[in-house]
Amino acid sequence: MLDDFLIRAALAGVGLSIAVGPLGSFVVWRRMAYFGDATAHAAILGVALALIFSAPVTLGTLVVAAAMALAVSWLSTRGHAMDATLGVLSHSALALGLVAISFVPGVRVDLSAFLFGDILAVTWADLAVIWGGAGLVAALIAWRWSRLLTATLSRDLAAASGINADREGLILTLSLAVVVAVALKVVGALLIAAMLIIPAAAARGPARAPETMAVLAALIGAFASLAGLAASYQFDTPAGPSIVVAASAIYLVSALFSRLLPS
Amino acid sequence: MSLITASSLGLSHGAEVILRDVDFAISSGEIVTLVGPNGSGKSTLVRLLLGILSPTAGRVRRRPGLRIGYVPQKLSIDASLPLTVARFLALPDRHAPAAISQELENVGIPGLEQRQLTALSGGQFQRALLARALLTAPDILVLDEPTQGLDQQGEAAFYRLIDEVRARTGAAVLLVSHDLHVVMSASDRVICLNGHVCCEGTPHLVADAPEYRALFGHGTQGALALYPHDHDHCHDHSHGEGCDHA
């Protein structure tokens, strides 16, 4: 008989995958991997601010992650050298967050829960937030799919078809902030970017169309969540990292198959 | 009525003037070629006309509801994005599979629906781009140096195809080229650009214009015969006066 907390954890992982599959595909196609990292690291600063002001952690994370994502995409349109800028912002936000948390009065905060996730402690209320946020992102991407894809392919082609590439980019940016906020509890700030990139990268090999890749990435993410949880239960390993390790294993198999069986 | 009209169009980045005082109009069914050396602002003008860029001076008017088929100068597909020809042709608007197959046949690459876009040759890729533009039944086709990377035969074949398309669909064509050979005689009008409109008129008028020769020399004259094109109707075009190269 499965324990109740395991069922909640499994539901949390599967729920998150609905969003990270399609969003992660765009992150890979648009080469936003480091962008995702910076946004995710900013979540720690959001946690600190939420604790200091006694606000809900998800809200604090959402606001700070959105601010970081907007700042980064604004800087990139201003033609800044993004590699170094993202590196500075990403690690500064993380370090600043860790320092800020030390100022939180009262009980000592369990930092590792925010850094690596605490999926086994997910409550039914957390689940509602995770499914709500992930569902919102998935619905938004499904609704704008064709426009997002055209804007990803080429800004000019999009503009000639009457699509504003900046607006579509903004939708992805804000979606990223929502995913970061809801994923914090599942895999933690340090591994959110991994859950965006690894399932999508694993789905690239077998996929022949963008839609297939997005759906496959979601399935791989869900499967990795379940496999990681099972492994965590079996071997008493940390759940969040175990999920990412499972996703990495799937990526490895996919990459080997693509190498051995070129289409 | 003109499909796209621009008046006193200009674009500057700070002190750097990229385009100035460009007046432009293109009517239904017209083939207009935009020529000029590299860096003369051809692509910039096209991007202004399409609304991709906003001008810093003057204004662009597009006929309301104008359908534009745009073939960009280049399009790099990230290797991480799996995309078949058929899916690409249906971006952003879906089309019936039969319409897609028909259009691929029209542009001379039948049966490539399921091929990955990244697996196409240069010539096939340009034709796929053209097919995508044509599927929207455009009022105007805008082609920005569409034959880059094609050999001379491929280039001539591509321009023949454009001419066929114009004859079949009646769409206006705005073509950007960095040289005049091959395509020039098919054009109704040629605009020679170098930061501003240097000269403008029928292909032969422009080829003989001192302003054009100052930019391009005499070398391309002989190549005009490569692709002769007979018009069964006449055009009356004025030749822009008073060009300066300050």
Side-chain angles (χ1 to χ4, degrees), chain B residues 150-212:
Chain B
L150 300 190
D151 59 22
Q152 213 166 47
Q153 270 185 330
E155 197 174 20
F158 191 83
Y159 284 135
R160 261 198 306 279
L161 177 63
I162 303 280
D163 210 27
E164 271 170 41
V165 163
R166 204 268 296 247
R168 181 161 44 82
T169 66
V173 176
L174 174 60
L175 185 71
V176 175
S177 177
H178 64 279
D179 53 31
L180 269 181
H181 70 279
V182 189
V183 69
M184 184 167 167
S185 4
S187 312
D188 297 314
R189 194 151 52 92
V190 174
I191 298 171
C192 179
L193 199 70
N194 192 22
H196 62 288
V197 176
C198 280
C199 52
E200 182 176 358
T202 60
H204 287 280
L205 262 177
V206 169
D208 293 334
E211 295 85 0
Y212 173 76

Side-chain angles (χ1 to χ4, degrees), chain A residues 40 46 85 101 115 126-127 149 154 176 192 217 226 237:
Chain A
T85 312
I101 281 185
L115 290 174
D126 292 332
L127 262 185
L149 204 53
S154 151
L176 195 61
I192 291 171
L226 299 180
T237 50

Side-chain angles (χ1 to χ4, degrees), chain B:
Chain B
M1 182 195 169
S2 292
L3 302 176
I4 305 179
T5 318
S7 46
S8 319
L9 209 56
L11 185 77
S12 320
H13 288 313
E16 189 193 0
V17 179
I18 294 161
L19 273 182
R20 61 180 166 88
D21 295 329
V22 175
D23 292 313
F24 174 90
I26 185 165
S27 313
S28 296
E30 209 182 3
I31 298 190
V32 174
T33 300
L34 206 55
V35 292
N38 289 333
S40 59
K42 304 183 298 286
S43 290
T44 304
L45 177 55
V46 165
R47 290 153 66 93
L48 285 169
L49 294 174
L50 293 178
I52 298 169
L53 295 175
S54 301
T56 49
R59 60 173 303 182
V60 175
R61 244 172 295 194
R62 286 176 288 275
R63 198 183 71 185
L66 184 71
R67 281 193 309 274
I68 300 172
Y70 176 47
V71 177
Q73 187 170 12
K74 57 173 186 278
L75 181 63
S76 53
I77 309 286
D78 198 281
S80 66
L81 179 62
L83 198 61
T84 61
V85 172
R87 185 68 190 92
F88 174 65
L89 261 52
L91 273 179
D93 301 312
R94 298 265 177 192
H95 302 286
I100 288 174
S101 301
Q102 180 61 50
E103 205 57 67
L104 285 176
E105 201 170 317
N106 289 347
V107 300
I109 45 169
L112 289 190
E113 289 89 337
Q114 294 313 312
R115 188 79 60 90
Q116 287 288 309
L117 215 50
T118 44
L120 297 183
S121 73
Q124 288 171 332
F125 191 78
Q126 290 303 332
R127 284 163 189 262
L129 282 173
L130 180 64
R132 177 187 169 276
L134 290 173
L135 268 170
T136 60
D139 304 305
I140 178 170
L141 261 183
V142 179
L143 305 120
D144 192 353
E145 304 211 23
T147 59
Q148 260 193 349
L150 300 190
D151 59 22
Q152 213 166 47
Q153 270 185 330
E155 197 174 20
F158 191 83
Y159 284 135
R160 261 198 306 279
L161 177 63
I162 303 280
D163 210 27
E164 271 170 41
V165 163
R166 204 268 296 247
R168 181 161 44 82
T169 66
V173 176
L174 174 60
L175 185 71
V176 175
S177 177
H178 64 279
D179 53 31
L180 269 181
H181 70 279
V182 189
V183 69
M184 184 167 167
S185 4
S187 312
D188 297 314
R189 194 151 52 92
V190 174
I191 298 171
C192 179
L193 199 70
N194 192 22
H196 62 288
V197 176
C198 280
C199 52
E200 182 176 358
T202 60
H204 287 280
L205 262 177
V206 169
D208 293 334
E211 295 85 0
Y212 173 76
R213 294 198 168 186
L215 279 178
F216 287 96
H218 301 257
T220 55
Q221 271 285 304
L224 282 173
L226 259 179
Y227 178 39
H229 176 94
D230 294 319
H231 282 283
D232 55 1
H233 55 290
C234 292
H235 293 275
D236 186 22
H237 291 295
S238 64
H239 176 206
E241 302 269 304
C243 280
D244 61 275
H245 293 268

